[in-house]
Amino acid sequence: MRWLGSVTNAHASCLVKLKAELGMEGRVEQQRWLLLLFLVVQLLLMGAFLYQNRHHHSFTSFFHFLIQERPEGREELPFLVQISPPGIRYQDVYSNLSQIQPMDISEEDLPNCPIISPYINGPLKVMIPENLTMEQVVEKNPLVELGGQYRPPDCWTRHHTAVVVPYYGQAQNLQHLLFHLHPFLQRQQLHYAIYVVNQVNNTAFNRGKLRNVGFWEAMQEEDWDCVFFHDVNLLPEDDRNLYICDIFPAHVSVAIDKFNYRLPYRGYLGGVFALRPIHYLRINGFPNTYWGWEHEDDDIAARLKLSGMLLSRPHLLFGRYHMLEGQDPSHKQSPQTPGLLARIHRRWRHDGLNSLGYRLLSKEVQPLYTNLTVDISPPAPGAPVTG
Ligand SMILES: *[C@@H]1O[C@H](CO)[C@@H](O)[C@H](O)[C@H]1NC(C)=O
Ligand SMILES: *[C@@H]1O[C@H](CO)[C@@H](O)[C@H](O)[C@H]1NC(C)=O
Ligand SMILES: *[C@@H]1O[C@H](CO)[C@@H](O)[C@H](O)[C@H]1NC(C)=O
Ligand SMILES: *[C@@H]1O[C@H](CO)[C@@H](O)[C@H](O)[C@H]1NC(C)=O
C-alpha cells in the first residue's frame, strides 16, 4: 500500500496548492477552479483504482485467459504454440542472479521492486548437473534463508508466495526441483518459501490431504498472499510463468513436455495449482479422501464451480514444464465416474480443510526447504484417538 500512500500525499499537496491559488482569484475563477479540482480528484481516484488493480494481478492477467465451460468433445486448448518467439534465447536459470547483492540500507528504505523483474527473460534451459549434491544446490543459492525462504535483498516486493510440495520419498526429484525452482523464483523477485510435506507411514499417497496440511502449516508461519501447490517432478521452463496469484484460482502446468506441451485431457488440473488463501478457504481446500495415485481433478473442478469461481490458466507458451523421471503420482487418466459430481455436491463442504486431521511428527528447517513430516493416515477403526 506504499503507492497509495504516496498518491494521497501528492493529492494533499495538490489541494494545498489549489487552495492557495483560490484565495487570489475572483468568484468566477473560483468556480472554474472548483470544477478543475473536482476533475483532478476524480482522475486521481480512478488512477489509484486502476493502478491497484494492475498491481494486484500484475502482468500475468494479460496472459491468463479464463475458461469456464469448454464445449464438450474439445480435448485441447484452441491453439498450440510449441516454438518460442524468435530472438529470445534460452537462458540458464542461474544466469544474472549473481548480480543480486544485498543493499546496505534498512529494509524500510528499500526501493519498490519494478513491476516486471529485470531478470525475467523467457525460455529457460532445464539442465541438471551430473552427480549434483544438496550441498552444491545450497552453495548456488547463497541468499536463500533457512527453511527455504527468500526475499529480494535489493528491493521491496509485494508478492508473498508459499510453494507447497507434497512428497512421498522422491528424494532425487526433490533435489532437482530445488536446484531449478529456487533461482526460478528469485528471477521473479518474489518473497517466497518452499514447504515440503513429507508423508510417512505405509499408506497410499494422498496428494489432496498433503496439500491441505502444507497450506495450514505455511499460513501459521507467514501471511502468504498466494499458495502454489507444486508436484515434485515438474520444472518450469519459462520464467514469464509468474508464481503470483491471479483474481481466480489458476491451473498453471498447462503444457508439460511429456504430454507434448498440451493438456492431456480437458479437465486436467494436476501438476501445479495456485490460489489465494481466501479462495482456498472458499473451496474448503482439497479433498482428504482420495488415496492412491488416482487424480482428484473432478473434485477440484466441482469445488470451483460450486463455490462460483472461474479457473484461470496461463498462456501455453509460459505454462511449460519439464517432467522429471520417476514416480509419477499425478498423471494417470481416469474417466469421470458417473454420479461423482452429485456426490461431491453433497460432500465438499464436509471434506476438506474443515475436516483435516493429521499429526505433525516433525518440522525441520533445512537450508533450502521446510520439511513437514506428517502422519495423515486415518485412525484405524477402534484405535484410541491420539494427538
Ligand atoms: C543477463 O545475462 C546475459 C548474458 O548471460 C546478458 O546478455 C543480459 O544483458 C543480462 N541481463 C541483465 C538484466 O543484466
Ligand atoms: C558422476 O559419478 C560417476 C560415478 O560415480 C562418475 O563416473 C562420473 O565421472 C561423475 N560425473 C561427474 C561429472 O563428476
Ligand atoms: C506412523 O508413523 C509414526 C512414526 O514413524 C508412528 O509413531 C505412528 O504410530 C504411525 N501411525 C500409524 C497410524 O501407523
Ligand atoms: C523430513 O524429515 C523426516 C523426519 O526427520 C525424515 O525422515 C525425512 O527424510 C525428511 N525428508 C526430507 C525430504 O528432508
Side-chain angles (χ1 to χ4, degrees), residues 96-109:
N96 304 78
L97 288 187
S98 59
Q99 295 168 13
I100 303 178
Q101 296 292 339
M103 301 249 278
D104 219 6
I105 51 175
S106 71
E107 212 173 289
E108 297 86 61
D109 295 333

Side-chain angles (χ1 to χ4, degrees), residues 327-339:
Q327 259 170 320
D328 178 10
S330 53
H331 309 286
K332 268 202 208 152
Q333 305 189 15
S334 69
Q336 185 165 329
T337 331

Side-chain angles (χ1 to χ4, degrees), residues 10 17 34 151 302 324 329 338 343 360:
K17 204 168 141 221
L34 275 173
R151 293 168 203 272
L324 295 168
R343 288 205 301 280
L360 187 64

Side-chain angles (χ1 to χ4, degrees), residues 161-166 185 190 226-230 241-245 250 252 272-275 321:
T161 297
V163 179
V164 170
V165 183
L185 296 169
L190 311 176
C226 178
V227 183
F228 265 69
F229 299 96
H230 211 292
N241 175 7
L242 298 187
Y243 275 31
I244 61 179
C245 278
V252 184
V272 181
F273 195 88
L275 37 57
Y321 284 81

Side-chain angles (χ1 to χ4, degrees), residues 268-332:
Y268 176 69
L269 290 178
V272 181
F273 195 88
L275 37 57
R276 294 173 188 272
I278 181 104
H279 293 150
Y280 178 90
L281 297 178
R282 204 191 285 179
I283 62 170
N284 191 22
F286 296 97
N288 296 313
T289 48
Y290 287 73
W291 297 90
W293 302 132
E294 84 184 292
H295 73 85
E296 63 265 9
D297 293 354
D298 296 329
D299 194 304
I300 297 169
R303 279 165 194 259
L304 293 178
K305 196 170 172 179
L306 295 170
S307 56
M309 280 189 286
L310 298 178
L311 179 71
S312 160
R313 274 180 166 149
H315 194 295
L316 279 183
L317 254 180
F318 303 159
R320 288 164 74 92
Y321 284 81
H322 170 63
M323 187 184 282
L324 295 168
E325 300 293 323
Q327 259 170 320
D328 178 10
S330 53
H331 309 286
K332 268 202 208 152

